[in-house]
Each structure stands twice: as C-alpha cells, then as structure tokens.
Amino acid sequence: MSFETLGLHPKLLQVVTELGYEQPTDVQVQAIPLALVGDDVMAGAQTGTGKTAAFALPILQRLMTLPPLVEQGAPQQGAKIRALVITPTRELAQQVFDSFIAYGKYSDLKVAVAYGGTSMNVQIKALRAGVDILIATPGRLLDHVFVGNVSLANVETFVLDEADRMLDMGFIIDINRIMKRMPAKRQTLFFSATFSKQVKKLAFSILTDPKMVEVTPENIAADTVQQMVYPVDKKRKSELLAYLIGSRNWQQVLVFTKTKQGSDELAKSLGLDGIKAVSINGDKSQGARQRALDDFKAGKVRVLVATDVAARGLDIQQLEYVVNFDLPFNAEDYVHRIGRTGRAGNIGHAITLMSLDEEWALKAIEELLNTRLPQQWLEGYEPDPSLIETVSVHRGASAEKRRAKSKSKIHQNRGKNAQRRR
Ligand code: AMP
C-alpha cells in the first residue's frame, strides 16, 4: 500500500516523501480514507503507530480542498477555527502542533497551539491573526473560549487524542463543556490506546455512526517491544538501574517513577553514579520540562526520569530503552509507557524493576496483556529471601511453607541464572 493509493493530495504526498515515510502505517491505511470522506472514526491505536498523521493528513486535505462549512459571514467574537484537536498534555499538544506544521508545509492553512503553563498573550495574538486548526489542552482551550478569544461554533472536524488518558486525568467535565460549544453536525475522530467501559461510553456519546479502526488487538502492547522483568529488592533498584545502564552501555533511557519526588531522587542518585540524568514532572515549569526533553533528545543527558503524567505524549525518535523503575498503579499505563519505545518499526526494550510488593501490579499487567512477561533474576541482585518471607507472613500465608518455596526458587534461579519464562 502506498500513500498515493490513499487518495492524498499531491502537496501532502510531497511532504511525506520529504519526511522519508516510505509507506503508510496500518492506522494510516485504515483511517485516512475514512477521514477523507468525512466519516467519524473510532481508532484503537497507541502512540508510535503513526496515529498523528492518520488524523492530521486528512484534516489538512479537507481544509485545503473544501470551502468552509459555515460561511464566515457576520463577524463573531473570537477566532473561528475549522478543526480542533484536544490532547491530554502540553507536550503532546506541542508535538501534534509540530506535526501539523510539518505536514501542512505546502498549504496556506494556519495552525496554532494553546496549552497551560505558558503565556496567554502569545496564544491570543496567534488566535487574533486567524487560525484554521487549533491544537489545545482542555483547560487552556476553555480559558480562551470563556473570554471569547476563540469560538468553537464553526468546528468541522474535532479530534480527541489519547481519550483514555483524558479520562484518567479527570478531563471529562472539560470535554463535555467543549462538546457543548461545537456544532452537532461535525466530523469526530476519536483516538485511544485502550478501551475501558468509560472510554467506550465517552466514544459513543460523541461519535455519530463511527467506523472502527483497530491496528493492534485491544490492550495489546506493541510487538516490536522486547519486555523483561527483573525482580529486585526495592532499596537496590537505583543501584541495579545504574549497573544496567553502565554495564550494558544504554545510551538513551526513559525511566518511569510513580512519584514526582521519586523522579527527582532517582535523577540525583544516577548523577552520583556518574550517569547524566534529568527528571521531568508536573512540579517543573513548562520551560524546564522542554529543556530537559531537548537535552535528552540531543543526547546531552543519558537518562530522562519521568512520571506518567509528565511523560504523556513524548515523541522521541528511536528510543531504545524504557525502564519501569516503579510499576504503574494502572495496568493501562504500562502499555502507554512501553509505547515510547519500539516506535515506527524499530525494536525497543521495556525493562521492569519489580520489588515484591509490586507483584500484584505485574499480575494486573499480565492480565491486561493476556500474556506472561519473561522474568530474570540478575546475579548479585536476587531478591533477599528474608524479605520474601516477611511479605509472605504479611499476606497471611504459612511462613514456613513460603520460606521453603522461595529459598528453593532462589536456589534454582541462582543455579541456572537463566531467563525464566513462567
Ligand atoms: P505517532 O504515533 O503519531 O506518535 O508517530 C510516531 C512516529 O512515527 C513519529 O515520529 C512519526 O514521524 C513517525 N511516522 C508516522 N507515520 C510514518 C510512516 N508512514 N512512516 C514512517 N514513520 C512514520
């Protein structure tokens, strides 16, 4: 399948050629023709599948070739945008904006981005100059809508990107407020990596006769990602991480921690081990987060430590290693995290450092993925058997039985020191 056969405009074909895209990805093959004819689309596609181009290319084409649906007659208050994309995070908004700018290089369409943590004035100036396509996070979009900087009354195409994350982040009220301000007759493109009951409910409440697009089976992690779990004692995790990065010469590593404090502490501790690391989390200013990301992308720092919220939407080309320093509270977050690697067909590695008290979280992930993840006990970093005993007692199991079992397990694993597939 080629981009030509999808019916794309010559100006867009030129751009994808210049970007070196040889052929459309699965989600592009399926979604672009539907979006081009104006259908509503409900797409199950995670980051890294090329989903941004799957909605950006058809939007650009429709706006380039079709006259505005609503005549721009009497002056209304605020910029009258024709396409709106909302994303859960600032970083993703910026990346989607960058993609629109790149793909729309040969069009006259005006694209703007609006997210929190940065000056309203710059955004107001852009909106006043006239905008066709606006990419925004929900809160900042509503700030502009409420004071009349932008009107959603003429929106012809609406994209809800990473809908599952929007719900996780508590944006449902904002989404409903935004929906109320858009015309009922519009095209809606709905993208989500996972489809829980709530996500489906939201999808069916805002889509009209949607066509389904699914590129990976529901809730399945990208198969270009090699996954490995290393059981280790909690207090030895940062030591093990430094060892893995150093001894295996990992050059660009994205590490996930559960808490903001944890991300700062880990970056510091890696620094003490001589590994250049920087953390990004919600406590940092937008400028600081962007600088950290730029340094990481440029190879100035080797490790980027992030919380789930801060990392959402990061697009780092050819990222080889993602490390779960803490297991995520929600199994779905694991799918999002490891979606940062193995992108656009490259092989990636997702490494999980699991302490005993996190076994429940691994179980939840394995249930979600419907698979068992391979585990390996690393020589010198095997979990301390006395801790296994403590946890067993805590769980109310027979201490003796558990102790015997865990000790024999350690013995076997030490003996074999081989990859263990459960
Ligand atoms: P996304 O899933 O939209 O975040 O895209 C992931 C990455 O794949 C981005 O860096 C895109 O530039 C890249 N990409 C998108 N479409 C293609 C394609 N057809 N061929 C090669 N790379 C692509």
Side-chain angles (χ1 to χ4, degrees), residues 3 21 23-25 28 47-52 315 317 343-344:
F3 278 107
Y21 296 0
Q23 54 183 40
T25 64
Q28 290 162 3
T47 310
T49 53
K51 68 182 171 62
T52 314
D315 179 20
Q317 296 282 337
R343 312 187 87 184

Side-chain angles (χ1 to χ4, degrees), residues 159-223:
V159 180
L160 192 65
D161 198 11
E162 305 206 343
D164 48 354
R165 180 48 57 130
M166 291 267 189
L167 294 185
D168 284 352
M169 291 173 71
F171 281 134
I172 186 67
I173 293 172
D174 282 351
I175 293 172
N176 288 334
R177 285 184 180 137
I178 292 165
M179 300 309 304
K180 276 196 199 124
R181 285 166 171 81
M182 276 188 292
K185 191 171 175 302
R186 58 158 203 271
Q187 177 186 36
T188 303
L189 309 174
F190 187 101
F191 285 78
S192 191
T194 55
F195 279 90
S196 64
K197 252 190 210 150
Q198 286 96 322
V199 174
K200 281 185 187 150
K201 195 173 146 205
L202 173 65
F204 289 115
S205 73
I206 67 174
L207 291 162
T208 308
D209 190 19
K211 304 287 182 300
M212 309 295 173
V213 165
E214 189 149 15
V215 293
T216 40
E218 213 165 277
N219 293 340
I220 294 299
D223 58 9

Side-chain angles (χ1 to χ4, degrees), residues 252-319:
Q252 206 183 30
V253 191
L254 176 61
V255 181
F256 285 93
T257 60
K258 221 166 22 191
T259 64
K260 297 173 193 172
Q261 200 196 353
S263 68
D264 288 336
E265 282 171 9
L266 181 60
K268 227 184 253 168
S269 136
L270 288 171
L272 291 174
D273 281 320
I275 296 167
K276 273 197 179 164
V278 65
S279 61
I280 53 166
N281 57 50
D283 281 349
K284 310 227 158 159
S285 71
Q286 186 60 26
R289 293 205 282 182
Q290 194 61 47
R291 261 194 314 279
L293 184 57
D294 291 344
D295 285 349
F296 181 62
K297 282 186 175 180
K300 288 185 195 158
V301 294
R302 204 160 159 191
V303 181
L304 183 67
V305 189
T307 54
D308 288 297
V309 170
R312 193 71 185 145
L314 294 183
D315 179 20
I316 302 152
Q317 296 282 337
Q318 318 246 335
L319 182 57

Side-chain angles (χ1 to χ4, degrees), residues 12-258:
L12 298 174
L13 289 176
Q14 191 177 341
V15 170
V16 293
T17 308
E18 284 173 13
L19 287 173
Y21 296 0
E22 285 170 9
Q23 54 183 40
T25 64
D26 280 358
V27 69
Q28 290 162 3
V29 168
Q30 293 182 53
I32 289 175
L34 297 170
L36 277 178
V37 297
D39 280 338
D40 275 13
V41 172
M42 178 168 157
Q46 62 193 71
T47 310
T49 53
K51 68 182 171 62
T52 314
F55 62 77
L57 292 171
I59 287 177
L60 287 163
Q61 177 148 339
R62 282 174 69 82
L63 299 196
M64 274 159 63
T65 54
L66 302 173
L69 248 184
V70 180
E71 278 310 316
Q72 317 274 312
Q76 281 174 6
Q77 222 190 1
K80 287 166 269 200
I81 55 170
R82 294 179 65 190
L84 172 68
V85 181
I86 60 169
T87 70
T89 64
R90 300 160 181 183
E91 286 84 357
L92 183 59
Q94 183 65 44
Q95 276 160 21
V96 171
F97 170 73
D98 293 342
S99 298
F100 268 98
I101 295 290
Y103 301 142
K105 188 174 160 193
Y106 298 116
S107 80
D108 297 325
L109 296 165
K110 290 191 182 133
V111 190
V113 64
Y115 49 77
T118 50
S119 149
M120 284 282 273
N121 287 337
V122 177
Q123 295 165 10
I124 291 170
K125 219 170 138 195
L127 289 169
R128 289 209 179 125
V131 171
D132 299 296
I133 301 163
L134 178 64
I135 295 96
T137 49
R140 180 54 66 95
L141 173 67
L142 286 169
D143 290 345
H144 284 297
V145 168
F146 290 148
V147 294
N149 295 334
V150 63
S151 157
L152 307 184
N154 294 5
V155 169
E156 296 164 34
T157 301
F158 169 57
V159 180
L160 192 65
D161 198 11
E162 305 206 343
D164 48 354
R165 180 48 57 130
M166 291 267 189
L167 294 185
D168 284 352
M169 291 173 71
F171 281 134
I172 186 67
I173 293 172
D174 282 351
I175 293 172
N176 288 334
R177 285 184 180 137
I178 292 165
M179 300 309 304
K180 276 196 199 124
R181 285 166 171 81
M182 276 188 292
K185 191 171 175 302
R186 58 158 203 271
Q187 177 186 36
T188 303
L189 309 174
F190 187 101
F191 285 78
S192 191
T194 55
F195 279 90
S196 64
K197 252 190 210 150
Q198 286 96 322
V199 174
K200 281 185 187 150
K201 195 173 146 205
L202 173 65
F204 289 115
S205 73
I206 67 174
L207 291 162
T208 308
D209 190 19
K211 304 287 182 300
M212 309 295 173
V213 165
E214 189 149 15
V215 293
T216 40
E218 213 165 277
N219 293 340
I220 294 299
D223 58 9
T224 49
V225 180
Q226 290 177 357
Q227 302 171 72
M228 179 56 76
V229 179
Y230 293 119
V232 62
D233 294 338
K234 202 175 212 61
K235 62 179 188 327
R236 299 197 66 201
K237 278 190 180 184
S238 49
E239 190 193 330
L240 173 57
L241 181 59
Y243 165 76
L244 287 169
I245 292 171
S247 66
R248 299 189 182 178
N249 200 21
W250 294 350
Q251 286 306 326
Q252 206 183 30
V253 191
L254 176 61
V255 181
F256 285 93
T257 60
K258 221 166 22 191

